[in-house]
Amino acid sequence: MRWGDMDAYGHINNVEIIRMLEEARIAAFGPPGGTGAAGVEPLVPLFSAVSDGTLALVVEHRVRYLRPLDYRNVPAEVDVWVSGLKAAALTLDYVVHDPVDGHECVRATTQLAFVDEATGALIRLSAEQRGRLAPYVGPGLFVAGVRGG
């Protein structure tokens, strides 16, 4: 959390929460290929290992704010996992925890699709990509009948 992420109410602004989800996604699955400079290898090099001309685009976000995430001078804890794999899309789920008391503050999901930059056509997930993601697949947060759904 950054000091500038705090709003007038003393908690992290909702727009900055979306930015935190993005940072968690990039930390877990890598920055899009060809962006930035070399750094630490992600846990699962998914986005950083796509072929040239492939874009990983956000299709949809869903965010449920359970309680304010107060600014603290320590990093928030964000759990991220794969909750859905389709032919040409994947869904990531997140839980943002207060780093001091451990309470869940935010539950969120992001659907992403791989797209050919030149044509705009969807690109199917490969068997290799599915295999890399398989150990990180878990239940979705916003499924009917699931707490928070």
Side-chain angles (χ1 to χ4, degrees):
M1 291 182 271
R2 301 173 308 180
W3 178 257
D5 295 343
M6 185 174 38
D7 63 17
Y9 298 115
H11 60 259
I12 304 303
N13 182 274
N14 64 304
V15 173
E16 299 306 326
I17 294 289
I18 298 293
R19 200 171 313 246
M20 289 172 68
L21 302 178
E22 177 183 57
E23 292 295 334
R25 184 170 65 246
I26 297 303
F29 301 105
T35 62
V40 176
E41 273 297 307
L43 181 64
V44 182
L46 178 67
F47 303 131
S48 54
V50 297
S51 58
D52 289 341
T54 300
L55 306 175
L57 300 179
V58 171
V59 175
E60 180 179 14
H61 287 299
R62 181 172 177 186
V63 182
R64 178 166 293 152
Y65 300 95
L66 304 172
R67 62 188 298 161
L69 177 59
D70 293 323
Y71 171 78
R72 301 186 188 273
N73 64 349
V74 293
E77 298 174 7
V78 182
D79 298 326
V80 58
W81 66 96
V82 178
S83 63
L85 286 171
K86 295 183 180 177
L90 66 144
T91 304
L92 302 177
D93 281 23
Y94 318 80
V95 175
V96 180
H97 300 270
D98 183 291
V100 174
D101 65 24
H103 283 99
E104 287 186 13
C105 297
V106 176
R107 288 176 163 222
T109 187
T110 301
Q111 185 176 17
L112 298 125
F114 290 112
V115 175
D116 183 290
E117 184 177 25
T119 66
L122 289 173
I123 299 172
R124 297 176 75 85
L125 291 165
S126 69
E128 179 186 356
Q129 289 168 321
R130 289 177 176 283
R132 271 192 232 150
L133 294 171
Y136 306 99
V137 173
L141 291 173
F142 296 107
V143 178
V146 175
R147 186 178 142 238

